[in-house]
Amino acid sequence: MRTLIITLLFLCATSITTLGAKLPRFGVDPVEDVVAAMTLEEKVNLVVGTMRDYIYFPDPAPGMPMRTEGFVEGRPGTAFSEGRVKGAAGDSYAVPRLGIPAIVMADGPAGVRIDATRQGQEATFFCTAFPTGSALAATWDTAVVDSVGKAIGTEARHYGVDILLAPALNIMRSPLCGRNFEYYSEDPLLAGSMAAAYVRGVQSNGVGATLKHYAVNNQETMRNGVDAVVSDRALRDIYLRGFEIAVRESFPMAVMSAYNSINGTVAPENKYLLTDILRGEWDFDGFVMTDWWAEGNGAVQTAAGNDMLMPGTWRQYDEIMNAVKDGTLDVKLLDRNVANILRAFAQTPAGKGLSYDNAPDLTANARTARNAAAQGMVLLKNQNNTLPLAPGKNIALFGNSGYDTMVGGTGSGNVNRAYKVNIHEGLANADLNVDTNLKAAYLDHIRLAKADSKQDDVWSITVADEKIITTDEALRAARDNDAAVFVIGRMAGESADRTLAEGDWFLSPTERANLDVVMTAFNNASKPVIVLMNMGGVMDMDDWNHIPDAILLTWLAGQETGNAVADVLTGKTSPSGRLPMTIARRYNDYPSASNFPHSTNPGTVYYDEDIFVGYRGFDKADIQPVYPFGYGLSYTTFDYAGETITPHRDGAITYDIDITNTGTAPGAEVVQLYNLAPENPDTSRFTAPVLPAKQLVAFAKTRVLQPGETQHLTVNIPADRFSYYNQATKSRQTIPVNIFRK
Ligand code: BGC
């Protein structure tokens, strides 16, 4: 009889009443009414994700053994949810009684991460692998990033994903952070603007986007346990600034709290960050979820303003339930979180009851990926106009990653794509003749080297030992080809930082020897050597930067990497990418070097460089890098004219400029506007202890201009870009406007 009543309620929930009271309906009635109608169990179910029967053990403390992960039998009646979309990172509990559907969340920054195949189904569910975060930021083009966000959002929408777990915008504090490939920049304005563009793109599909990882998650070493000790000023001006910009400019549906602690409190328990700043100051009106299996107490997290705990554990469920029952957690706080979640869920496709067809336009999205990839590549060196290469040239392609190209990093930022275009394939597609002997030798070498390794997966991609190039091979190649293209590849991924070692930060001895052999052979034959850096971040270049004729930083540019590389090498696309991070002469020049990945105590990192992160630190110490932040060459030249700076009453500035392509190739130009610190600050009026010598306050990119063509750019710079956070007054304080264009 009871079952019958429940079934009837379920079928006609809007009109059927329980004990005379009409049940409110999610999506129809005010959220407050829905929350009021929920039982305590339903509320706790909603705030804890569904993956509760999976046992996950975070990385053990140094020296302790790894514990194995796996599934345990769940509690009766609460079977583990496989979710609606296979391979999605998590989902929420449905409450059918009130019309609350299950919401699906999937990674990630470079494309939707779901399983490509499903047991018993012939259909495939591939997603496009777009350029990773650093490559996107290097476009300095919010329109390109918006187009990528839109395309990723359409795939999410077609595959039934409601909330995308991206973008990731942590500051690149150290070049060794393992997830820098997912992140945007060492500069908060560039990072925040890119994130905002991405969010707008994703959310234009009605799919939610998630800013992550909030905040100060700048390393993977001990990522669950590390405590970042950072001043309020550095928090406000550097580490939170990008999040603030993205929240204010793009209204993301969700924010994911980080794993680490900030000044002694783990991010998901950090009320100061989650409630006081995020909601209190920035008016964030979405919901906050934890990062997966984050440390901390469910009840404390709930009280701190961490609305949802993902992917959910029974421990968290019990902690919240018991705390409400024993009065240590005010149920009003739980209700507040439930309401935050439901308000956001109501805007998602499932929340609106929309269906989906599993049929995204992967062909159109691959075009978007290729365009973004080419736009982000950074030409670092081009002596004697080595590039572009004319079609029909014979190319000696060296380096494993020319043949087994790295297109994305490992971990949650990986994408199950249908294919990847390796560099040798991209060159061939563009009518460049790749030396067939070298190609055969490399493909054989890679096949043999990988023969015994397990199949690549999300968490590990096997990288074969670099093939040794013999002098004979190099001499023969130099005789038969017009140019050498020498690829250096670096893989990186979630859960480990990169190492200050040969083969990672430095060239490996084999790579170094190969470069010398190739350089000597091609130099002697008066033929150029072009180096491609196929990696998500940067590496030591001081040792070898002087050697090649041209250097192109290709990044991990997604499944179309090979084609995009060819677009740039042949001049189909003139390079217009700019560095979103500094390439130092020595690792120790990075301001974070002495406090990364920890200070004297493992587990604590003192952010002693304070606000002087990246170029701000190089400027302060007056250290020349190999290539500075914002650097990048083009195949054409530009002229600037009619620069006008118009101040407004509220402190905002309008900047106008005419940019003309004065060269012979079509190309796009990036305008970077920095504010310079006054040389002699008037300390009575202006009490900043120290200001960075310069800081980025705005940037803009032209469209592709034909030779002779001019574009007028108008850049509006909000007043708060000319300010710093004053710790004493706990408020932003204005600094004088002194704009410098780069
Ligand atoms: C990562 C997040 C990701 C989540 C879900 C975590 O390991 O840090 O960025 O969204 O997993 O896959």
Side-chain angles (χ1 to χ4, degrees), residues 89 107 113 179 212-213 223 256 259 291-292 412 494:
D107 289 304
R113 184 172 67 86
R179 294 184 84 170
K212 69 185 188 184
H213 312 87
R223 65 175 179 170
M256 184 189 289
Y259 286 124
D291 198 347
W292 266 228
S412 60
E494 185 178 335

Side-chain angles (χ1 to χ4, degrees), residues 56 87-90 105-109 113 164-166 168 170 179 182-183 210 212-213 217 220 223 256-259 289-293 310-311 411-413 459 494-495:
Y56 170 85
M105 304 175 194
D107 289 304
R113 184 172 67 86
L164 187 81
L165 304 173
N170 294 98
R179 294 184 84 170
E182 294 184 61
Y183 300 153
T210 311
K212 69 185 188 184
H213 312 87
N217 181 178
E220 291 300 284
R223 65 175 179 170
M256 184 189 289
S257 52
Y259 286 124
M289 68 180 92
T290 61
D291 198 347
W292 266 228
W293 322 102
M310 290 301 291
S412 60
W459 288 99
E494 185 178 335
S495 83

Side-chain angles (χ1 to χ4, degrees), residues 80 106 239 460 492 575 703:
F80 168 72
Y239 295 101
S460 90
R703 60 177 180 270

Side-chain angles (χ1 to χ4, degrees), residues 563-639:
N563 284 332
V565 163
D567 289 342
V568 175
L569 291 186
T570 58
K572 185 176 163 204
T573 305
S574 179
S576 60
R578 302 286 184 266
L579 287 178
M581 75 280 261
T582 308
I583 304 184
R585 226 167 257 299
R586 279 173 303 272
Y587 171 75
N588 281 338
D589 292 346
Y590 286 101
S592 60
S594 47
N595 287 290
F596 183 92
H598 43 70
S599 306
T600 17
N601 288 346
T604 307
V605 186
Y606 294 104
Y607 281 41
D608 281 350
E609 71 282 7
D610 204 56
I611 58 160
F612 295 98
V613 180
Y615 67 87
R616 290 166 169 82
F618 284 80
D619 286 350
K620 183 175 180 225
D622 199 15
I623 295 176
Q624 286 304 308
V626 180
Y627 294 109
F629 175 81
Y631 185 84
L633 303 172
S634 168
Y635 295 154
T636 187
T637 50
F638 297 93
D639 191 39

